[in-house]
Amino acid sequence: MSTGVSTSTDKIIVDKSRSHRNKAVSRAVRATRERLQTATGISAGLEREMLQLHIASVVQSALIIPAIIVMIAAIGIYLTQEIGLMAWAVLALSVHAVGMIIARRARGKDITLENVQRWQRRFLAAQLLMGVAWTAFALQTCGSCTGVTFELYQGTALLVALAVTTITTLMLRHAVLFAFAPTVAALVLSALLRPVPTTMAMAAIIAAALVFLIFITHRLRQTSAQLLSSQSEKDDLIAELEVAKSMSDEARRRAEEANLAKSRFLASMSHELRTPLNAILGFSEVMSTEVLGPLNNPVYKEYTSDIHRSGQHLLNLINEILDLSRIEAGKYDLSEDSVHLVDIAEDCIGMVQLRARAKNITISEQVEGGMPALWADEKALRQVVLNLLSNAVKFTPQGGEIVVKAGWTAGGGQYLSIKDNGPGIPEDEIPVVLSAFGQGSIAIKSAEQGTGLGLPIVQAILAKHNGEFILKSKLREGTEAIAILPAKRVLQSLPAVTETQAVSPRRKSFA
C-alpha cells in the first residue's frame, strides 16, 4: 500500500483501490469459518488435499512395487523352480501399470471438490485389481517343495507386500483393505477347505496384520488430516491478518489525512475568526461604555452588552478548540520554569471570586505549608486551575461551598484538589465528560453554557507534564477534581555551599 499523500480531491472519501486484492483472501477466510463451524469429520477440501498427496506418493514410488514384485518372483523361482511365478509377475506388473496410468492422468487433471470421490473410486479399483494379483500369488502351490519352505516364503512375501502397500497408500482411505481383503479371504477359504496347520497359521497372521495396519492407517490419516487442517487454518489466519492490516493501514491513512486537513483548517480559520471577533469585541465595548457619546435608546445599550458577551464567549470557544488541537497535534510546547502551585491556585481563586460571590458560593483553602516549587509551565497550570475552578463555580448551586486543597502525594509529588457540593456526575457519564465536546446530562438539563473542552484540555496539559488527572463524583454529593504532578517535577532545595579557606601552594624545592 502506498504511503504517499492521496491525490483524491476529497480527503474523506475511502480509497477502495485495494478492494480487488482482498476479495480472494476474504473468500478464503469466510470459507474457513464456515468449515470450522459446520464440519464434523474430514471435509471435502481435506479429502482433496490428501488425494493429491496420495497421487504424488504413487508417482514418486513408481519403482518400489515393481522392484518388490520382481524380487519376490526371482526368489520364488530360485527356491521352487516354478515358472508359473513369472506369469504372476507379468500379471502384477500389468496391474501396477494400470494404477500408474490412473495416477499420471489424475496428476494432469484439475481435481475439484466435486470429482474427488470419483477419483478415489478409480484408485480403489486399481488397488482391488492389485489385490487380485496378490490373491493369485497366495494361491500358488509348489508340488516339488517339501516341508514348510514354500509357505514360509509366501507368508514373508505377503507381509512385505502388505507393509509396502500400507506405506505407499497411507493417504488413500480403505486402500489397504481393498488391496489385501481378497488375499485374506482366499487364505481363510483355503484354510477352511484344507485345514493344514501352515495354511491356517499363514491366514491368521496375514489377517491379524491386515486388521492392525488398517487401524494404524486410520489413526495416521486422522493425524494427517489434523495437520492439514492446522496448516489450512494458519494460512487462512495469515490471510485474515493481511486483510486486517490493509484495513488498518487504510484507516490510518485516512486519519492522517483528516488530521492534516483539520490542522490546515484551524490554521487558516484562526486568523479569519479572531480578526473580526476582536473588532466586534472592541466596538461593542466602546458602544456599551458610551465612549463616543451616550446612546439615546437604553435597549441599544443592552444589545451592545449582549454582543460583547456573546463575542467573548465565541472567542473563548475558539481559543479552547485551538488549544486542544495544538495539544493533539503535538504542537503544544511547554515553557517550563520554577513555579509554586499554591501561588497559582490563590491567583486563580481571586479571578473567579467575583462570580462565586454572585452565587453566594464560599471558596475555602486547605494547603500545606512550605511546599517547594515545581518545574512546570505557569501558563498551562494556570489554565488547568482556572478550568477546574470555573467548572466548580458553574455547577455549584446558590449558597454552596468549594474546597481547594494542595499538598503532597504519597509518591513525593504535589496535588491540587478542587471539591464542590454540587449535583455531581453519574458514574457512567465520567468517560463522556472527559472526552472532547462531552457534556453530562446534568449540564444539558441545567442549560449551562460550555463547550465540553475544559476537562479534556486539563487532562492533556497534565499528561504533557507527566502528571495525572482524577475525577471523582457522586450524585447529590458533589464532584472532586484532582490534578497530580509527579515527584520529578518537584524542585528540591540544595544546602548552602560553605566557604573553605584556600590552601596555600606548596613550595617546591629542587635538590
Side-chain angles (χ1 to χ4, degrees):
M1 182 175 181
S2 175
T3 57
V5 179
S6 175
T7 57
S8 60
T9 56
D10 189 355
K11 300 296 184 181
I12 309 302
I13 296 178
V14 179
D15 185 9
K16 296 185 178 180
S17 60
R18 295 193 57 178
S19 60
H20 64 283
R21 304 181 187 180
N22 298 331
K23 287 182 179 179
V25 288
S26 298
R27 286 196 298 268
V29 171
R30 186 166 55 252
T32 302
R33 287 178 176 172
E34 293 176 356
R35 174 172 57 81
L36 293 176
Q37 292 173 359
T38 59
T40 56
I42 300 178
S43 64
L46 291 180
E47 290 286 358
R48 175 176 173 272
E49 293 183 12
M50 296 178 75
L51 181 60
Q52 290 177 340
L53 291 175
H54 170 71
I55 295 171
S57 175
V58 170
V59 173
Q60 291 174 1
S61 60
L63 298 178
I64 295 179
I65 298 297
I68 296 295
I69 293 172
V70 171
M71 182 181 65
I72 290 174
I75 295 174
I77 293 173
Y78 174 77
L79 292 176
T80 64
Q81 305 299 321
E82 290 287 340
I83 305 300
L85 290 174
M86 187 176 295
W88 168 82
V90 173
L91 173 65
L93 290 174
S94 301
V95 173
H96 178 70
V98 173
M100 289 301 303
I101 292 172
I102 296 175
R104 292 188 180 277
R105 184 174 297 179
R107 192 178 185 183
K109 298 288 186 179
D110 184 18
I111 299 178
T112 61
L113 298 178
E114 290 76 15
N115 59 9
V116 168
Q117 293 184 354
R118 185 166 67 251
W119 282 106
Q120 284 179 341
R121 287 194 293 267
R122 291 177 181 178
F123 280 104
L124 290 177
Q127 291 298 321
L128 185 61
L129 290 176
M130 198 67 197
V132 173
W134 289 117
T135 303
F137 173 77
L139 296 178
Q140 291 286 328
T141 59
C142 178
S144 60
C145 298
T146 59
V148 296
T149 304
F150 186 73
E151 286 77 5
L152 180 61
Y153 153 73
Q154 273 186 321
T156 305
L158 289 175
L159 287 176
V160 171
L162 179 57
V164 173
T165 304
T166 302
I167 294 173
T168 55
T169 61
L170 179 64
M171 292 300 171
L172 182 62
R173 184 172 53 180
H174 305 316
V176 179
L177 179 63
F178 274 70
F180 280 90
T183 304
V184 172
L187 289 174
V188 171
L189 182 61
S190 177
L192 293 176
L193 296 178
R194 190 166 57 96
V196 179
T198 55
T199 306
M200 296 175 62
M202 184 170 61
I205 292 173
I206 300 299
L210 178 61
V211 173
F212 174 73
L213 290 177
I214 288 175
F215 173 75
I216 292 298
T217 53
H218 176 72
R219 295 295 299 271
L220 290 177
R221 287 190 77 259
Q222 293 292 332
T223 304
S224 301
Q226 291 178 0
L227 291 177
L228 290 174
S229 178
S230 300
Q231 180 69 29
S232 176
E233 292 172 14
K234 184 189 74 172
D235 295 340
D236 295 330
L237 286 176
I238 292 174
E240 189 170 3
L241 288 176
E242 290 179 354
V243 175
K245 182 179 181 300
S246 63
M247 294 174 62
S248 64
D249 291 341
E250 178 67 18
R252 179 176 56 82
R253 184 193 64 79
R254 290 168 51 200
E256 290 175 352
E257 291 183 352
N259 190 33
L260 180 62
K262 181 190 72 172
S263 300
R264 289 175 178 173
F265 169 77
L266 293 174
S268 60
M269 294 303 293
S270 174
H271 175 74
E272 299 296 332
L273 291 174
R274 282 177 171 174
T275 300
L277 274 177
N278 288 330
I280 292 172
L281 291 174
F283 293 150
S284 60
E285 187 175 1
V286 168
M287 295 172 66
S288 62
T289 55
E290 300 178 340
V291 175
L292 301 179
L295 294 175
N296 295 328
N297 194 332
V299 179
Y300 287 166
K301 185 176 181 180
E302 185 179 355
Y303 285 168
T304 57
S305 300
D306 294 338
I307 292 170
H308 185 271
R309 186 165 52 254
S310 300
Q312 189 66 43
H313 174 70
L314 183 57
L315 183 60
N316 293 334
L317 172 62
I318 293 172
N319 289 333
E320 288 182 347
I321 293 175
L322 292 177
D323 287 341
L324 187 60
S325 299
R326 283 194 299 130
I327 293 173
E328 290 178 349
K331 304 297 183 181
Y332 192 90
D333 298 326
L334 298 178
S335 178
E336 297 171 311
D337 200 355
S338 176
V339 297
H340 288 271
L341 184 60
V342 176
D343 295 342
I344 294 176
E346 290 177 351
D347 292 343
C348 294
I349 290 173
M351 293 179 186
V352 300
Q353 194 67 256
L354 185 61
R355 281 187 290 167
R357 289 174 183 171
K359 296 179 66 174
N360 196 22
I361 296 174
T362 303
I363 300 179
S364 59
E365 301 178 34
Q366 299 177 8
V367 297
E368 298 183 14
M371 295 178 62
L374 295 170
W375 186 253
D377 188 335
E378 182 177 0
K379 179 183 176 182
L381 287 185
R382 195 177 296 274
Q383 186 175 3
V384 168
V385 180
L386 277 176
N387 284 353
L388 297 180
L389 282 173
S390 299
N391 281 345
V393 172
K394 184 189 303 182
F395 293 104
T396 302
Q398 293 280 347
E401 182 183 5
I402 298 174
V403 180
V404 179
K405 298 180 182 179
W408 293 94
T409 64
Q414 294 185 13
Y415 77 93
L416 178 71
S417 169
I418 298 176
K419 184 176 182 180
D420 61 66
N421 57 354
I425 304 171
E427 186 176 356
D428 57 342
E429 291 185 3
I430 290 181
V432 176
V433 300
L434 291 178
S435 61
F437 300 100
Q439 288 185 328
S441 58
I442 295 177
I444 297 174
K445 291 177 182 178
S446 60
E448 292 286 351
Q449 291 184 351
T451 60
L453 295 176
L455 294 182
I457 290 176
V458 169
Q459 200 171 15
I461 290 176
L462 290 174
K464 292 286 289 185
H465 286 83
N466 308 111
E468 185 182 0
F469 177 66
I470 300 175
L471 186 64
K472 300 178 181 179
S473 184
K474 289 185 179 180
L475 285 176
R476 294 178 295 276
E477 291 186 11
T479 303
E480 182 180 10
I482 305 173
I484 300 174
L485 293 168
K488 62 182 180 180
R489 291 277 176 181
V490 179
L491 299 178
Q492 301 292 342
S493 58
L494 297 176
V497 179
T498 58
E499 296 183 358
T500 57
Q501 296 181 354
V503 179
S504 58
R506 182 179 178 184
R507 181 178 297 179
K508 296 181 181 179
S509 60
F510 298 93

